[in-house]
Amino acid sequence: MGTAERDRGRHGGLRAEDAVRLRAAVERSTVVNLTGPPGIGKSTLLARLLADASGRSGPRGTPGTAGAREPAAVVVDLARPDRPPVPEGTGGLLILDGADGPGRTAEALDALGTAPRRLLVVSRRPLAAVEGWTGRVQATVALAPLPEPEVANLAAQAGIEDPAARALVVRLSGGVPLLAGAACRALHAGAEPGDEGAVADQVAGELTERLARELPGTRWQHALRLLATVGSGDEQLLSAGPELFTRLGALSVVRRTPLGLAVREPYRTVLETAYRWRRPLAHHSSRSRAAAYRGTLLARAGTPAARAALVREGLFLNGDATLRGMLFPAAESPVRVAPAHDGDADDIGRLLHGWARRGGFDGARAERITEGWLAHGTSAFRLARDADGRARGLSALLPLGAATADAVEPVLQQHTEHVAAAPRASGLFLGAAYATDPAAHARILHDILTDSVLAGHLVVSTATADYQRLVRGMGFRLHGSVREDVYRCGRRPEVFSHAFAPASLPLWLERLGGRGAGPGEHLVAGVTRALRHLGDDRALAGSGLPAGPATSTPTALREWLREAVYRLAESGDPVDAEAGAVLAAYYLGGPATTHHQVAGRLHLGRATYFRRLRRGVTAIAAMLGEETAASGR
């Protein structure tokens, strides 16, 4: 074990249950893999195992027994260039540390050989995912991040007394002891608690130094921070050739997603925060370029599943701080979300109780409301379970329609008919979402978002301020409060809805991002579609155009568009007036006419006609953007 690794172990972060798990695995299995991402505490735990074994070794060098004649363990740090060769045989335990990077997992495999041998391999990636190792590992001990209170204790032990500084350590580290220690060192070096970027920069520097063990050289480092900035990236978005893209994918902090590579949390947050601090304009440009790229792919997506994945990325790139904090926390959760089954009633009840308690709801009142949801079966709920099968969160997501009207009416009340009526009756109603920690909560929200994109429409009723800020940040339409304080919490639920019509998704995300001084391309496209289908209520309802007080219904939107066209035609600017006349003649002129006919009637050349048509639609889009911005939406 290297000196740097031993030094990290002195900063704490060891959990007793991890030591027990590792000791038991070594005692019972011949080939054990201790795994976890950089700085998670593997070497600290290994040092504890060696310390315990040094005084208690058995005939075969097994930690935890007595009466040894042979050494408890032989340790080889594969990452050290000056290390001795791996011994060919030992009666005790052979520990291979640092089995990451080119050739090292293969060397560890060679050490296993064909004869039985007691082996503990320490790696950042699980060996089961490495070629040649699948099926050979008998036990895997994977380390997870520390809970937030334990990270706060580590910061206190490191001499960080300021509560704001401790909170910064907790937020940036995501439960990884190495990152927490680096943040503490940055603060002791003079960075202030408000200097998040400066602290993250030192943390990122220590992280990339550790990653160099896996991938020599520096060419990949900028590509890694760019990847952290854009969320998920393919070769085109990263401007990386096949070789560099493949090399990035081999890093232990990188995973593969449906949309390309992505940096795992909390490493992603650290790298992006440092990049934003070092090069703010380049950071902004990278995010804007990625958002435009994702919007283009979304407009061309051929399946609902592809749209759902692109919508998640779009929210990451376009969302405000509140939205990103709830949907994309600086931590990853091992939970998996799946439909509840008949045997999950107890878990559902327990989690709903936690949901009511966190919302400050009257327990009996909340129970009566949720009983109405349960009456439609446990299939109305989805549960998030951790690796041990424990339920950590849930969502109550009912299909809208006549069959569920009795269940949703108590929390929709006077809005029931409007938000659940055709053409949206095939959508979903979200009654509750709850998890025991922020990372699991984010997984629940992602699952809700995916189902909503697939269903095409989501209605939300919530009395919780955090959720109200979240759906507002996502651009949902507010229908108003219900009549009663149904949860007896001093707050009346507010009802929101959003139509996830495929054609409107790029426009919606662009609007959230607020890109550009003028109206975005998708807003212009949305106005074009609305003008083209001005007499179709269903098309107007699914246009995705922003809803303000004057455009909240198809009828209101139709009248607003007509008035905007005539107002433009009466403009004092002769070019704008001509653009308005083109729109009025083509879209409001009665029986269908062609562009050629309108251009001839207005005595305009073909090129001039289409320039005026584009100018007019862009002007209407700008008016609509100003109208909804002025209304606070």
Side-chain angles (χ1 to χ4, degrees):
M1 184 170 59
T3 302
E5 301 287 356
R6 287 196 299 270
D7 288 344
R8 293 208 301 278
R10 297 191 186 110
H11 291 289
L14 176 67
R15 288 176 291 197
E17 60 267 29
D18 290 333
V20 171
R21 285 197 301 137
L22 180 59
R23 195 177 300 118
V26 169
E27 289 174 351
R28 297 170 185 170
S29 305
T30 302
V31 182
V32 178
N33 179 207
L34 173 61
T35 184
I40 200 67
K42 300 183 296 295
S43 294
T44 303
L45 186 55
L46 183 57
R48 172 68 175 273
L49 178 75
L50 292 171
D52 290 347
S54 63
R56 298 181 298 159
S57 300
R60 298 181 58 212
T62 303
T65 60
R69 290 187 177 181
E70 299 177 2
V74 174
V75 183
V76 178
D77 186 353
L78 297 176
R80 288 183 56 180
D82 59 343
R83 61 172 173 80
V86 176
E88 294 183 2
T90 176
L93 176 68
L94 175 60
I95 300 176
L96 300 180
D97 196 4
D100 303 285
R104 292 183 188 137
T105 52
E107 188 174 4
L109 187 61
D110 289 341
L112 182 60
T114 57
R117 188 172 193 179
R118 300 184 59 251
L119 189 64
L120 170 60
V121 183
V122 184
S123 63
R124 293 173 178 174
R125 284 187 183 274
L127 287 180
V130 178
E131 183 180 1
W133 278 98
T134 306
R136 292 177 176 265
V137 178
Q138 297 175 357
T140 298
V141 178
L143 300 188
L146 298 174
E148 291 187 357
E150 293 188 32
V151 179
N153 287 337
L154 288 180
Q157 293 168 16
I160 304 299
E161 300 179 355
D162 183 359
R166 289 187 194 175
L168 176 59
V169 172
V170 171
R171 186 166 66 251
L172 278 180
S173 70
V176 177
L178 168 66
L179 304 188
C184 291
R185 288 187 283 278
L187 290 164
H188 282 308
E192 296 293 330
D195 297 337
E196 185 174 32
V199 174
D201 188 61
Q202 177 159 334
V203 178
E206 295 195 25
L207 171 63
T208 52
E209 181 183 344
R210 299 290 190 271
L211 292 175
R213 186 177 82 184
E214 303 176 32
L215 194 57
T218 59
R219 181 168 170 252
W220 53 271
Q221 292 185 12
H222 177 67
L224 183 64
R225 66 181 183 178
L226 178 60
L227 178 59
T229 297
V230 301
S232 293
D234 53 26
E235 282 188 20
Q236 183 171 343
L237 182 57
L238 296 178
S239 300
E243 180 185 357
L244 179 56
F245 191 79
T246 300
R247 284 159 62 85
L248 278 179
L251 286 171
S252 59
V253 297
V254 174
R255 59 188 175 89
R256 285 171 166 79
T257 77
L259 297 178
L261 302 178
V263 181
R264 295 181 180 277
E265 293 289 2
Y267 309 99
R268 191 212 63 76
T269 293
V270 166
L271 291 166
E272 185 193 2
T273 305
Y275 184 40
R276 183 171 59 237
W277 179 74
R278 284 198 173 204
R279 301 187 65 185
L281 289 179
H283 171 268
H284 176 76
S285 176
S286 297
R287 288 184 63 86
S288 298
R289 182 170 62 88
Y293 179 66
R294 291 302 184 206
T296 300
L297 291 180
L298 181 57
R300 299 175 180 178
T303 66
R307 285 194 290 271
L310 287 163
V311 163
R312 285 195 299 272
E313 282 296 292
L315 289 173
F316 170 79
L317 292 164
N318 292 296
D320 62 15
T322 298
L323 188 151
R324 290 191 72 189
M326 292 184 71
L327 281 177
F328 307 99
E332 288 192 351
S333 174
V335 302
R336 295 291 181 268
V337 184
H341 301 291
D342 291 342
D344 295 328
D346 289 344
D347 283 332
I348 291 172
R350 173 177 56 81
L351 291 167
L352 283 175
H353 180 72
W355 163 76
R357 185 172 61 251
R358 179 170 292 180
F361 304 155
D362 176 80
R365 185 69 174 175
E367 185 173 352
R368 282 196 294 273
I369 291 172
T370 57
E371 281 176 352
W373 306 340
L374 279 165
H376 292 275
T378 55
S379 61
F381 292 85
R382 293 178 66 82
L383 293 180
R385 295 191 179 277
D386 63 19
D388 296 323
R390 293 171 294 191
R392 299 294 193 183
L394 96 168
S395 65
L397 206 57
L398 282 74
L400 288 172
T404 58
D406 60 330
V408 304
E409 193 279 334
V411 289
L412 294 180
Q413 296 187 3
Q414 74 271 25
H415 303 288
T416 304
E417 183 177 356
H418 175 62
V419 301
R424 297 165 174 155
S426 60
L428 298 172
F429 165 77
L430 175 63
Y434 169 77
T436 55
D437 65 86
H441 187 229
R443 287 291 184 92
I444 287 284
L445 294 178
H446 287 182
D447 185 69
I448 294 168
L449 180 64
T450 297
D451 281 352
S452 300
V453 173
L454 298 180
H457 185 242
L458 179 66
V459 173
V460 180
S461 175
T462 176
T464 307
D466 285 348
Y467 274 98
Q468 291 170 357
R469 285 193 295 270
L470 175 65
V471 292
R472 283 193 175 96
M474 292 177 68
F476 276 45
R477 176 178 296 181
L478 172 63
H479 297 278
S481 301
V482 300
R483 291 185 296 264
E484 304 173 47
D485 174 9
V486 297
Y487 293 115
R488 302 293 188 264
C489 61
R491 307 178 305 275
R492 292 181 295 166
E494 292 185 343
V495 177
F496 300 82
S497 72
H498 187 75
F500 292 90
S504 68
L505 294 176
L507 168 61
W508 166 55
L509 292 172
E510 186 175 80
R511 193 167 67 243
L512 292 184
R515 296 190 300 279
E521 284 298 318
H522 294 299
L523 182 56
V524 172
V527 168
T528 301
R529 285 193 300 271
L531 287 170
R532 187 179 298 127
H533 302 288
L534 207 56
D536 186 339
D537 282 2
R538 182 184 291 268
L540 291 176
S543 68
L545 292 174
T551 58
S552 59
T553 66
T555 299
L557 178 59
R558 180 185 300 110
E559 293 307 312
W560 186 92
L561 288 169
R562 287 181 178 277
E563 176 61 28
V565 169
Y566 290 132
R567 191 163 65 244
L568 184 65
E570 295 171 357
S571 171
D573 184 320
V575 177
D576 280 345
E578 198 167 57
V582 167
L583 295 184
Y586 184 70
Y587 291 113
L588 311 181
T593 54
T594 66
H595 289 298
H596 178 74
Q597 289 171 332
V598 174
R601 191 185 315 153
L602 297 177
H603 307 291
L604 295 174
R606 178 180 175 84
T608 301
Y609 170 82
F610 281 107
R611 282 200 301 271
R612 297 295 184 266
L613 183 70
R614 171 71 181 185
R615 182 184 181 107
V617 173
T618 302
I620 300 299
M623 292 181 199
L624 184 59
E626 292 171 2
E627 171 89 14
T628 52
S631 68
R633 297 188 61 83

